Amino acid sequence: MDDHSPRDDADAQALAPTPAPRVYETPPKERPITDAEAARAAQLAANEHIKIASGYLRGGLAEGLLKHATGAISEDDGQLVKFHGMYMQDDRDLRPERTKKKLDKAYSFMIRLRIAGGVISPKQWLALDDIAVTYAGSALRATTRQTFQYHGVIKANLKRTMAAIDAALLDTIAACGDVNRNVMAATNPAQVGAHKAAHTLAKDISDSLLPKTSAWREIWLDGERVVGGEEEEVEPVYGRTYLPRKFKVVVAVPPSNEVDIFAHDLGFIAILDKKNQVTGWNVTVGGGMGMTHGEPDTFPRTADVMGFVKPEDAIKVAEAVMTVQRDWGNRKNRKNARLKYTIERYGLAAFRAEVETRIGKKLGEPKPFTFTNNGDRFGWTEGDDGRHHLTLYVPSGRIKDYEDGPQFLTGLRKIAQVHEGDFRLTANQNVIIANVPAEKRAAIEALVDQYGITKGAGALRRNSIACVALPTCGLALAESERYLPDLMTELEQSLATHGLAEEEITIRSTGCPNGCARPFIAEIGLVGRGPERYHLYLGAAFDGSRLSKLYKEDVAASDILDTLDPLFADFARGRNPGEHFGDYLIRVGHVARTINGPDFHDRTGALKPAGHA
Ligand code: SRM
Ligand code: SF4
């Protein structure tokens, strides 16, 4: 663990009672879900039945698309279509009015692309822009996982949209569903060699863990049906039940933890030599954010550093970690199915031993590394190859033309028309105009200025993320993207009053506890509880390595400023030089330190065995 991680802080460790030895369950010897066991499916979660019956993700999708009487698809197909990178949604702003008029919901689809490492060419940018204008309300949404989403695509336009995505040499396969999702990589403009290695690894993992079924091509592009044969032939890695739950992989390059490696199922941390070349990767496992209010068996968890691999073994390790989770993960209860719970159940040592068995060698011991932050670096940076990179601040990743505000969509289209490098999406919903030759810098800068595009923002905003939430997200309990900007305006005034205007503090909000903006590793985390009500979490580490804790529950939106203002005042008075807000709140006892997931709901600060090495 890095030096900056307060989890390793010696003082805190000294105060902590010695945890009792943890008793783990014995790992299963065999893969629990095979064809032969499908008969026992009655005990499995409903989604397992849907997968088994789907014929490798086909279900009734092709027929459902032809039913013109409704803008919806069936409930089961709604689960399956996620594996194709899509969610059926409805406009929740319109729900009350439509219910009153006894109308069906205003159905449409969210489509999520798969862009490993978040890199696209200017030509692809222009194609995606064109799709946005034609089918998706003239907006693109950069996500917290380095890709784009479209909202509001109606059923009648789905196939046309997918064909246009395919024509741009992109796809949406496995962007959602119980599979390996879009693989993220550090954007890291300044360290060119390391970025290349991280991006290549992300792409290779993405390719190697991609579902092999031809259902996507067949359904969306009218491709020829490849008849399903034996399970091993169609999906040699996944089998017909795929994974118990979603699986997320990231690749980080210290000192930046911009990809928030501790929030992901599997991560690779670049270990660099003095020339910034990658000598191998530390492997992290078992991170995740999602939980359910009032259900203490569900919790966010920061990943453990499991070991070290040489570059040539990294893909094998990724496959092994995913297949152990495939075989050991909980298929009966989706709320306890992520890898983080598998590791809590069987222990890191047993998990690592099984991974080592599957790769046929021992992992090395983790090498030292240091993370300094989990945000983006804004403005221009020059890479060590002399190319220039401009990171733009895109509020909540929403790329559109704002009325009386920045013209993100038009401006970036104009830039894509002249740009010769590439674009990179960041894990914090921002966009990098990357690989600009020195002589083109002024032209890009002029377009950025002409269209009012923001190159940066105040310190709090620079370190903020809000999830989508209302009106499209079906799970939102409260506003997020439409609320956080106004709250930040208030908080910025309060911070300025206390002389903290330039203080880097991470703030993230989500409309529900699923954690799509990774709020539990932000120094200030707001998590929707109900309309205009939020749980307030505090005390995470600035580098994203430690979870926060519930500070105040069910706070009315109108009371958040009054709750935080005295803490800012106290911080301004009592902080040590260079001390971060989250660390300070713990040091002076405003909030208890969270050691890891199982300790997350314990507000007394008494430490329970964390169950990780
Ligand atoms: Fe997420 C579900 C949006 C990143 C944890 N997420 C959803 C859905 C699809 C709602 C649904 O199931 O009906 C949201 C669609 C909203 C909409 O209208 O677009 C949604 N998640 C997002 C995005 C777009 C948030 C954003 O504002 O950028 C992010 C898209 C990422 C991508 O490109 O793939 C997004 N989601 C995340 C992250 C962050 C990350 O991965 O780094 C997390 C927390 C990390 C993790 O997975 O633990 C996250 N999303 C969830 C969960 C809880 C999973 C869990 O283990 O409990 C759900 C609900 C579920 O899976 O049942 C969810
Ligand atoms: Fe929706 Fe909740 Fe994710 Fe926000 S955190 S996008 S409200 S699922």
Side-chain angles (χ1 to χ4, degrees), residues 467-469 473 475-478 510-517:
C467 76
V468 178
C473 179
L475 306 178
L477 305 170
T510 55
C512 84
N514 282 317
C516 299

Side-chain angles (χ1 to χ4, degrees), residues 111 113 115 120-140 148-150 153 160-171 399 409-410 412-419 423:
I111 299 180
L113 287 127
I115 307 177
I120 57 170
S121 67
K123 204 169 160 199
Q124 287 173 320
W125 186 286
L126 291 172
L128 295 181
D129 168 276
D130 191 45
I131 294 168
V133 172
T134 315
Y135 302 116
S138 293
L140 279 157
F148 278 129
Q149 284 185 183
Y150 292 113
V153 180
R160 281 187 271 267
T161 309
M162 297 296 256
I165 290 171
D166 179 60
L169 304 181
L170 289 164
D171 65 65
I399 295 174
L409 193 73
T410 307
L412 284 161
R413 182 188 311 134
K414 299 286 177 197
I415 289 168
Q417 284 164 355
V418 298
H419 181 38
F423 290 92

Side-chain angles (χ1 to χ4, degrees), residues 362-573:
K362 294 269 180 222
L363 294 171
E365 287 313 304
K367 310 268 188 215
F369 62 95
T370 302
F371 284 130
T372 52
N373 61 52
N374 61 351
D376 290 334
R377 168 202 330 222
F378 293 92
W380 285 101
T381 325
E382 188 175 345
D384 47 24
D385 62 352
R387 310 280 278 187
H388 296 253
H389 312 271
L390 176 61
T391 306
L392 304 170
Y393 169 67
V394 184
S396 302
R398 192 68 71 173
I399 295 174
K400 64 175 189 178
D401 291 344
Y402 289 82
E403 248 179 72
D404 305 323
Q407 306 291 291
F408 277 104
L409 193 73
T410 307
L412 284 161
R413 182 188 311 134
K414 299 286 177 197
I415 289 168
Q417 284 164 355
V418 298
H419 181 38
E420 292 161 6
D422 47 37
F423 290 92
R424 291 181 199 164
L425 306 180
T426 80
N428 291 291
Q429 303 169 323
N430 295 307
V431 172
I432 303 178
I433 305 169
N435 281 314
V436 179
E439 64 278 12
K440 281 284 168 83
R441 203 178 131 145
I444 299 285
E445 177 97 31
L447 285 168
V448 165
D449 291 342
Q450 183 183 342
Y451 290 94
I453 293 173
T454 36
K455 283 177 278 192
L460 190 68
R461 245 165 253 261
R462 281 202 299 272
N463 290 289
S464 68
I465 316 183
C467 76
V468 178
L470 294 164
T472 51
C473 179
L475 306 178
L477 305 170
E479 295 281 356
S480 179
E481 183 181 327
R482 296 194 295 196
Y483 165 63
L484 189 63
D486 291 342
L487 175 68
M488 286 195 294
T489 304
E490 293 180 351
L491 296 179
E492 279 167 347
Q493 282 163 10
S494 155
L495 286 163
T497 309
H498 302 299
L500 297 169
E502 279 311 306
E503 188 59 31
E504 306 263 353
I505 298 174
T506 50
I507 180 167
R508 295 173 176 181
S509 79
T510 55
C512 84
N514 282 317
C516 299
R518 303 183 288 268
F520 307 115
I521 41 176
E523 292 175 291
I524 302 173
L526 291 157
V527 175
R529 186 74 185 96
E532 294 183 43
R533 303 197 76 84
Y534 297 85
H535 278 356
L536 174 60
Y537 293 85
L538 298 173
F542 185 72
D543 66 0
S545 64
R546 180 187 63 230
L547 293 171
S548 55
K549 205 170 263 313
L550 182 59
Y551 175 73
K552 197 165 178 192
E553 53 194 319
D554 211 11
V555 192
S558 52
D559 291 340
I560 292 171
L561 173 64
D562 288 347
T563 309
L564 285 171
D565 183 76
L567 296 175
F568 292 154
D570 191 33
F571 176 53
R573 273 192 307 269

Side-chain angles (χ1 to χ4, degrees), residues 82 87-89 110 112-113 141-149 151 175 181-182 184 245-246 248 259-260 263-265 287-291 334 338 340-341 396 429 465-469 472-475 481 513-518:
K82 296 179 187 179
Y87 274 74
M88 184 167 70
Q89 301 184 319
M110 176 268 272
R112 188 181 287 167
L113 287 127
R141 176 59 157 70
T143 74
T144 52
R145 299 205 74 254
Q146 261 185 344
T147 187
F148 278 129
Q149 284 185 183
H151 288 103
R181 303 288 190 89
N182 193 42
M184 294 212 284
R245 205 65 164 84
K246 58 179 73 167
K248 297 179 174 180
V259 292
D260 260 332
H264 290 85
D265 297 275
M289 291 283 103
M291 61 144 199
R334 288 180 68 77
R338 293 290 293 272
K340 61 183 175 181
Y341 301 114
S396 302
Q429 303 169 323
I465 316 183
C467 76
V468 178
T472 51
C473 179
L475 306 178
E481 183 181 327
N514 282 317
C516 299
R518 303 183 288 268

